[in-house]
Amino acid sequence: MSFLRGFLSTPTEEENKQGGFETIERLIERLETSTLLDDRRDAIRALRALSKTFQVEVGTHAMEILINVIKEDSSDIEVTEMVIETLLNVMASAGEDPPETDLGVQFTEMFIKTEDNVALLLSLLEEYEFHVRWPTVKLLSTLLKNRGKALQERVLVSPMGISKLMDLLSDSREIIRNDGLLLMIKLTKNNPAIQKIVAFENAFERLLNIVSNEGNSDGGIIVEDCLHLLLNLLRNNLSNQNYFRETSNIQRITPFFGMPPIDEEDEEVPPVWNVQKQTNILLMLDLLQILIGPTNHPQSVTSCQKVMYTRGIYMKLMDLLLYPGLPPDIFAKLLVTVGDVIRGNEIIQQFMDELEMSERPAILLILMFMVNDKQPFKARLAALYCVQCFLFKNQKGQARIVSTLLPNQEDVQVGVTSGQLLCAGLFSNDSVAHWLCSVTLSHCLYNNIAQHENMLQVQLELTSGLPPVHLINQVFQMLANDSSARTRFGTLMLLLHWVEECPGAVATLLNNNAFVPYILELVEHTDGQDASASLLSSLGAMLMGLCLKYNDNSCQHYTKETLLHLITHRVGKEIYTELLDSASVSLLFTQATKSPHPTAENVEELFLDFSFTKFFKKQQDIVTRALEGEEETETENTIDSHDEIVAGYKTLIMEQDEEINRLKFQLTQCASPPVQETQQPSSHVSQQQIEQLNSTPRIRRRIISSTLLSYKPGTLSKWNNFNLPNQPPPIPALRNT
């Protein structure tokens, strides 16, 4: 019975491994010793079949022999294909990020250690035969997944290695081209050296040709892969960005944002926004932001902005904002991209200021969308960024919005103005709208001292029959009465910007009896606070310090000496300094410094604005020195002092010249009979000249024109994606002091 059981029982796993190992040894021996090509072909075919099950045995004993077969029998297409597929099975690994202990990763490391092996695979790419080229691409992709950095180094030192890989993008067979795209995406990741070589291999033109042939934004997954590769080549690579611009590739992006025409009478939205189209547009917007992002090199940004404006990309983006059915994430990214295009560019900012859409100014429409609490949070934040970019280094735009706080006759005829809209949002019950409007008004004041004084003229008529209230006092009243942290952050940022180099704003606040006690209470209560409350105390300390710095002593109750005494004796100089220092190391503060682009994912993350963090750091040094009794010396003061010295010398020279003329005249009178009143005209002329030299020019009120140039892009007449309410929000009555 035991004898029969031996024949009827199945072999154990150990016996299977032993039998497989013996078979592999015989196949390897046959492969080494056989002189007939058919015998070697049969042996390789058998090894390929066993390589999936016996990965360790085949990889350990047959890898070097298989590589030698490629070198010797590369002319045989079938043999080469089977050898590559066998190596592919040996180096196969699990998952996208296999661990170091994975067998495929270990065999990959053994393969790459020999320098000639990678060069051998790259040489196989020169073979046009499908059954050689495609398996080689797959094997290189596997090597790249298992040991990406090591393979990148081998490719870099291989002669013409990248050129051979780039030829895959021109292959007429889509499966090879597509897999070649995926291979290049992985190869160019985080390697500037390879990125530069790939760019100079005409990669931009090839990729944009593929995108165009595939239908631009309407294309499929291939367009997405091309855009991913373009992003790899351009991100954090200034050399490639300059090359992309200099080779006239930016203007080739314009057709990508083309949309089919829409019949205005057809209310049904066409189903064009499929998932793939949305992905393609988002990736192309990412590409534009890489070229013109605020963290990029300023000279490169300016050049790219000019090309995008002159070649029509800017207007394509504005038209796309109007296109019906635009998904919210695309709409938000579009607003951010439009902001990057106009940021700091005077010509495009001026065009944006004069641009009308749907019979309203474009900036006004964006502001109306921003203060509308029915809109998605991220889109409202993107609208704020777009307005910030319009105001960046744009003193005319800042003055224009501030001037609309006091609408003239033309503004009344038009209806709601930008300034009125900002005031409505500033005093609304929506804390998000208040924060957004506070930051917008702060940017109207940023680096524009003239607008600080102009905004002081704004008064609010809150209740009929009662005297109007200064806007700055009403803003402080919101700070004192509103318990929302978001509202308090927005209000403090606005007040801090307002009092900078503006003694009038400081005096108005100090004359408010509730101001100093509230700020002192905010600064003093720092024990046991959470992160947001502690940061609010730091902002309150900064506000008190700026009031000290720019106090002109016009308020008798709170002079510079009084405020300094309160800081040093009531708060404590060390505690006050620690409050200022703790702000910049706060988690909420550092999160706001990460990027000029809006980064808040939800309302709970809305605390500080990016530009405000730079402003705070700058003012911190000024306040610290003011506290120590040092005077701040600005470049403008030096220039003004120089001009005063020159003017003084000019006056002295003219006075001396007049004195010489007078003495000459007296000498002439001594030699001739005296004539009455001869000297009087000369004296009268001299007095006029002296009065003219000593007179100072008076400040004249600037009259800002509100004339807009009308522009209607395409055939669209509706701002479809803004969903604006029929009636604007309630707006407080505004007056001029």
Side-chain angles (χ1 to χ4, degrees):
M1 293 294 294
S2 61
F3 176 76
L4 292 176
R5 191 179 296 112
F7 282 100
L8 295 176
S9 61
T10 57
T12 63
E13 183 178 354
E14 187 66 29
E15 291 173 347
N16 282 335
K17 287 186 177 180
Q18 184 64 28
F21 179 70
E22 292 175 355
T23 304
I24 290 171
E25 283 188 331
R26 289 197 299 269
L27 292 173
I28 293 174
E29 183 181 359
R30 183 178 176 186
L31 190 60
E32 289 178 321
T33 59
S34 178
T35 58
L36 296 177
L37 182 59
D38 289 339
D39 291 342
R40 295 200 301 275
R41 187 181 292 119
D42 292 339
I44 295 172
R45 186 178 292 109
L47 284 173
R48 181 182 64 178
L50 293 170
S51 60
K52 292 184 178 180
T53 307
F54 299 95
Q55 182 181 8
V56 177
E57 291 77 5
V58 175
T60 305
H61 300 283
M63 182 182 291
E64 293 185 4
I65 299 171
L66 292 172
I67 294 172
N68 290 330
V69 170
I70 296 179
K71 296 177 181 178
E72 296 173 359
D73 297 331
S74 59
S75 58
D76 191 300
I77 302 301
E78 185 179 0
V79 169
T80 305
E81 179 187 11
M82 289 189 296
V83 170
I84 295 174
E85 290 177 350
T86 305
L87 293 174
L88 194 57
N89 293 335
V90 169
M91 300 178 197
S93 57
E96 287 296 324
D97 189 15
E100 296 289 332
T101 57
D102 192 281
L103 290 175
V105 174
Q106 295 179 10
F107 284 128
T108 299
E109 188 171 356
M110 292 170 55
F111 182 86
I112 295 178
K113 275 186 178 179
T114 305
E115 297 181 3
D116 296 338
N117 290 347
V118 175
L120 178 63
L121 292 182
L122 293 174
S123 66
L124 293 178
L125 294 177
E126 298 177 0
E127 176 62 52
Y128 188 74
E129 178 61 39
F130 177 83
H131 294 288
V132 174
R133 212 173 202 190
W134 187 41
T136 304
V137 172
K138 292 194 293 183
L139 179 56
L140 286 170
S141 299
T142 301
L143 298 177
L144 194 58
K145 181 184 74 170
N146 295 341
R147 277 288 182 265
K149 188 174 181 180
L151 184 66
Q152 287 175 334
E153 295 174 355
R154 293 296 184 210
V155 171
L156 273 175
V157 299
S158 176
M160 302 298 292
I162 294 180
S163 298
K164 296 170 185 176
L165 291 170
M166 286 299 298
D167 289 340
L168 298 174
L169 303 184
S170 303
D171 200 304
S172 58
R173 294 158 295 191
E174 289 190 2
I175 189 171
I176 294 180
R177 183 198 65 184
N178 299 346
D179 285 351
L181 267 173
L182 297 176
L183 174 63
M184 294 304 299
I185 292 172
K186 297 177 182 177
L187 186 67
T188 55
K189 190 174 182 180
N190 300 325
N191 194 309
I194 292 181
Q195 292 168 3
K196 291 180 181 180
I197 299 174
V198 170
F200 282 96
E201 288 289 338
N202 210 16
F204 296 135
E205 183 177 354
R206 294 184 184 186
L207 293 171
L208 291 176
N209 284 339
I210 296 175
V211 169
S212 177
N213 294 334
E214 292 290 329
N216 289 314
S217 60
D218 293 319
I221 189 68
I222 304 307
V223 172
E224 179 182 346
D225 292 339
C226 289
L227 293 174
H228 277 299
L229 181 52
L230 284 170
L231 290 174
N232 281 357
L233 297 177
L234 294 173
R235 186 178 285 112
N236 300 324
N237 195 320
L238 183 60
S239 174
N240 280 3
Q241 293 172 16
N242 293 333
Y243 185 70
F244 185 83
R245 184 189 71 250
E246 292 167 357
T247 51
S248 303
N249 285 302
I250 294 180
Q251 45 264 48
R252 298 187 62 188
I253 299 176
T254 307
F256 187 89
F257 294 104
M259 294 292 159
I262 298 298
D263 186 2
E264 293 186 4
E265 298 179 357
D266 187 7
E267 297 181 356
E268 183 179 357
V269 178
V272 297
W273 298 107
N274 56 67
V275 176
Q276 187 61 61
K277 185 180 182 69
Q278 295 180 43
T279 302
N280 293 343
I281 290 180
L282 289 173
L283 289 174
M284 184 58 83
L285 292 176
D286 284 337
L287 189 148
L288 295 182
Q289 290 179 9
I290 287 175
L291 296 174
I292 56 175
T295 58
N296 207 347
H297 193 276
Q299 186 176 359
S300 176
V301 169
T302 303
S303 302
C304 292
Q305 286 175 330
K306 180 179 179 181
V307 176
M308 292 180 189
Y309 177 65
T310 57
R311 296 295 183 172
I313 295 179
Y314 167 70
M315 285 313 304
K316 284 286 186 181
L317 298 178
M318 298 302 294
D319 286 346
L320 190 57
L321 280 173
L322 292 171
Y323 204 80
L326 198 65
D329 53 346
I330 294 181
F331 184 73
K333 181 153 285 199
L334 264 174
L335 284 172
V336 174
T337 309
V338 169
D340 285 337
V341 174
I342 67 176
R343 189 175 190 271
N345 192 301
E346 182 179 359
I347 296 176
I348 311 179
Q349 287 173 337
Q350 179 66 24
F351 182 81
M352 184 76 168
D353 192 21
E354 299 169 351
L355 182 64
E356 277 196 2
M357 291 181 175
S358 300
E359 300 179 355
R360 288 177 177 175
I363 290 296
L364 177 63
L365 288 171
I366 295 175
L367 287 173
M368 293 180 72
F369 178 85
M370 183 185 76
V371 300
N372 188 351
D373 58 356
K374 304 299 182 183
Q375 302 301 334
F377 169 72
K378 285 189 176 181
R380 296 175 71 185
L381 208 57
L384 169 66
Y385 178 77
C386 187
V387 177
Q388 288 176 345
C389 292
F390 169 73
L391 297 172
F392 183 71
K393 295 183 179 180
N394 182 10
Q395 293 197 350
K396 292 182 180 178
Q398 291 172 319
R400 180 173 181 79
I401 290 183
V402 171
S403 70
T404 58
L405 289 168
L406 298 170
N408 54 29
Q409 189 63 30
E410 294 180 2
D411 294 328
V412 172
Q413 295 175 358
V414 172
V416 64
T417 65
S418 300
Q420 291 174 308
L421 202 61
L422 290 172
C423 275
L426 190 65
F427 300 113
S428 69
N429 295 326
D430 179 16
S431 62
V432 176
H434 172 85
W435 191 92
L436 297 172
C437 292
S438 297
V439 173
T440 302
L441 288 173
S442 299
H443 280 262
C444 291
L445 305 175
Y446 194 70
N447 290 336
N448 194 337
I449 305 302
Q451 303 313 317
H452 295 218
E453 298 291 343
N454 290 340
M455 277 184 60
L456 280 178
Q457 302 176 15
V458 181
Q459 289 186 334
L460 303 175
E461 188 175 337
L462 301 177
T463 305
S464 179
L466 294 179
V469 181
H470 279 284
L471 175 62
I472 191 170
N473 279 330
Q474 188 61 25
V475 170
F476 165 70
Q477 199 64 31
M478 288 200 67
L479 173 66
N481 296 338
D482 200 310
S483 59
S484 169
R486 193 171 304 107
T487 301
R488 298 170 80 186
F489 273 110
T491 305
L492 281 171
M493 285 191 289
L494 175 57
L495 291 177
L496 283 166
H497 277 286
W498 204 335
V499 300
E500 180 204 11
E501 297 189 32
C502 186
V506 173
T508 305
L509 287 175
L510 294 178
N511 282 316
N512 189 328
N513 294 330
F515 175 73
V516 173
Y518 175 82
I519 296 299
L520 281 173
E521 182 181 0
L522 182 65
V523 172
E524 287 178 331
H525 292 79
T526 58
D527 296 334
Q529 293 183 340
D530 57 10
S532 62
S534 177
L535 186 56
L536 282 172
S537 298
S538 298
L539 299 188
M542 175 61 73
L543 181 57
M544 197 168 186
L546 290 179
C547 289
L548 169 66
K549 170 63 180 175
Y550 301 112
N551 191 348
D552 60 357
N553 294 327
S554 60
C555 179
Q556 297 180 358
H557 298 291
Y558 295 107
T559 61
K560 276 192 173 185
E561 291 76 12
T562 306
L563 292 179
L564 185 61
H565 179 80
L566 289 173
I567 292 174
T568 55
H569 291 80
R570 181 167 174 177
V571 179
K573 185 177 178 181
E574 293 183 0
I575 296 177
Y576 181 84
T577 306
E578 289 177 1
L579 275 175
L580 295 181
D581 294 336
S582 64
S584 57
V585 297
S586 168
L587 178 61
L588 302 179
F589 192 96
T590 54
Q591 286 177 345
T593 62
K594 289 182 179 179
S595 172
H597 287 163
T599 57
E601 294 293 332
N602 50 60
V603 178
E604 286 70 23
E605 298 179 5
L606 204 60
F607 293 101
L608 297 180
D609 175 52
F610 172 83
S611 299
F612 176 78
T613 59
K614 299 172 63 177
F615 168 84
F616 187 92
K617 291 179 180 178
K618 174 185 174 183
Q619 298 302 323
Q620 182 178 356
D621 182 55
I622 296 175
V623 169
T624 303
R625 282 189 282 175
L627 190 62
E628 296 293 338
E630 297 180 5
E631 293 295 333
E632 178 72 15
T633 304
E634 298 290 341
T635 306
E636 291 80 5
N637 296 341
T638 304
I639 296 175
D640 293 341
S641 176
H642 174 73
D643 293 340
E644 291 175 2
I645 294 173
V646 172
Y649 277 118
K650 287 182 178 180
T651 304
L652 179 62
I653 292 172
M654 294 187 69
E655 290 176 351
Q656 291 176 345
D657 192 32
E658 291 294 332
E659 181 68 18
I660 292 173
N661 291 334
R662 186 180 62 81
L663 293 174
K664 286 183 178 180
F665 183 79
Q666 290 178 355
L667 183 62
T668 305
Q669 292 298 316
C670 292
S672 61
V675 180
Q676 190 176 2
E677 297 180 356
T678 302
Q679 190 175 351
Q680 186 175 356
S682 175
S683 174
H684 179 66
V685 173
S686 175
Q687 185 66 26
Q688 281 185 340
Q689 291 175 344
I690 294 174
E691 289 179 357
Q692 183 178 2
L693 289 171
N694 293 333
S695 63
T696 56
R698 295 183 178 180
I699 299 175
R700 298 182 178 180
R701 182 176 179 181
R702 295 181 61 188
I703 301 176
I704 304 173
S705 174
S706 61
T707 305
L708 292 176
L709 299 179
S710 178
Y711 179 85
K712 296 182 179 180
T715 59
L716 301 174
S717 62
K718 300 178 181 179
W719 196 273
N720 297 282
N721 299 300
F722 281 73
N723 299 322
L724 300 177
N726 294 327
Q727 297 294 333
I731 301 170
L734 301 174
R735 283 189 175 185
N736 192 349
T737 52

